[in-house]
Amino acid sequence: MIRLSRHTVAAAAFALLLAGCGKSVDRAPVKPKGPDLSKYVGKYPFDPVDGVAWYDHPVVQAGVKATVKDADIAAAIIDPAAGPSGPIWQAKGKINAWGCEQHNCGDHQWTVMVKPETGKVDVCYADASKTPGQSRWIFADGRDELRDDSCPQE
């Protein structure tokens, strides 16, 4: 039988405690699996890539839900039957998709902007019934601002 001193046991317990306290800096964020987001560029959000439509993609779903705290707005954005949309495009390092409410595009529209390397999502959301003539920009870093314009479409 091996006998350890109280000091040895205490030192080992302290070392284990300290090991669990630090943040892991060498791990990349874990992104949900799904097709490469760049494959969606030029397609419409309802066009599946490897069997997955844009708004069903786990990175898009998780990103919108993480960024948009208002559940009603998040649900409207990721609803595949919401209404018309344009082709997905890439700009400024992000992959972007625009959509709007059927028969109400001028007054109710949104753009989802995904940074593919991180899965972080920024959202532009315009609802004229709440903020006439303005769009609400909701950023992954927590910022939320109103702008005097509509959401980008290309």
Side-chain angles (χ1 to χ4, degrees), residues 4 7 10 24 27 30 41 45 48 54 65 70 73 78 81 108 126 131:
L4 300 174
H7 297 302
S24 175
R27 289 188 194 168
V30 176
V41 174
W54 172 259
K65 289 175 184 173
D70 184 315
I73 293 174
I78 59 176
H108 193 204
T131 54

Side-chain angles (χ1 to χ4, degrees), residues 11-148:
F14 185 71
L16 286 172
L17 180 65
L18 285 178
C21 290
K23 289 184 179 179
S24 175
V25 293
D26 57 350
R27 289 188 194 168
V30 176
K31 291 193 303 183
K33 297 204 183 280
D36 182 336
L37 291 170
S38 66
K39 292 181 177 182
Y40 289 90
V41 174
K43 298 184 181 314
Y44 286 86
F46 49 80
D47 292 334
V49 171
D50 298 336
V52 181
W54 172 259
Y55 289 112
D56 293 331
H57 195 290
V59 170
V60 176
Q61 287 261 331
V64 169
K65 289 175 184 173
T67 298
V68 181
K69 304 305 182 214
D70 184 315
D72 292 334
I73 293 174
I77 290 170
I78 59 176
D79 178 5
S85 57
I88 294 169
W89 77 98
Q90 189 164 7
K92 298 180 182 177
K94 295 181 182 176
I95 299 176
N96 312 286
W98 174 88
C100 65
E101 179 185 358
Q102 184 80 20
H103 305 298
N104 195 22
C105 284
D107 288 339
H108 193 204
Q109 58 180 274
W110 49 86
T111 302
V112 173
M113 299 157 272
V114 182
K115 187 153 182 93
E117 302 83 38
T118 63
K120 295 205 181 252
V121 170
D122 296 329
V123 170
C124 173
Y125 182 77
D127 184 348
S129 70
K130 294 181 181 167
T131 54
Q134 294 183 308
S135 59
R136 180 177 173 195
W137 287 71
I138 309 165
F139 297 94
D141 65 8
R143 290 179 296 134
D144 192 326
E145 60 189 52
L146 289 176
R147 295 184 183 179
D148 292 328

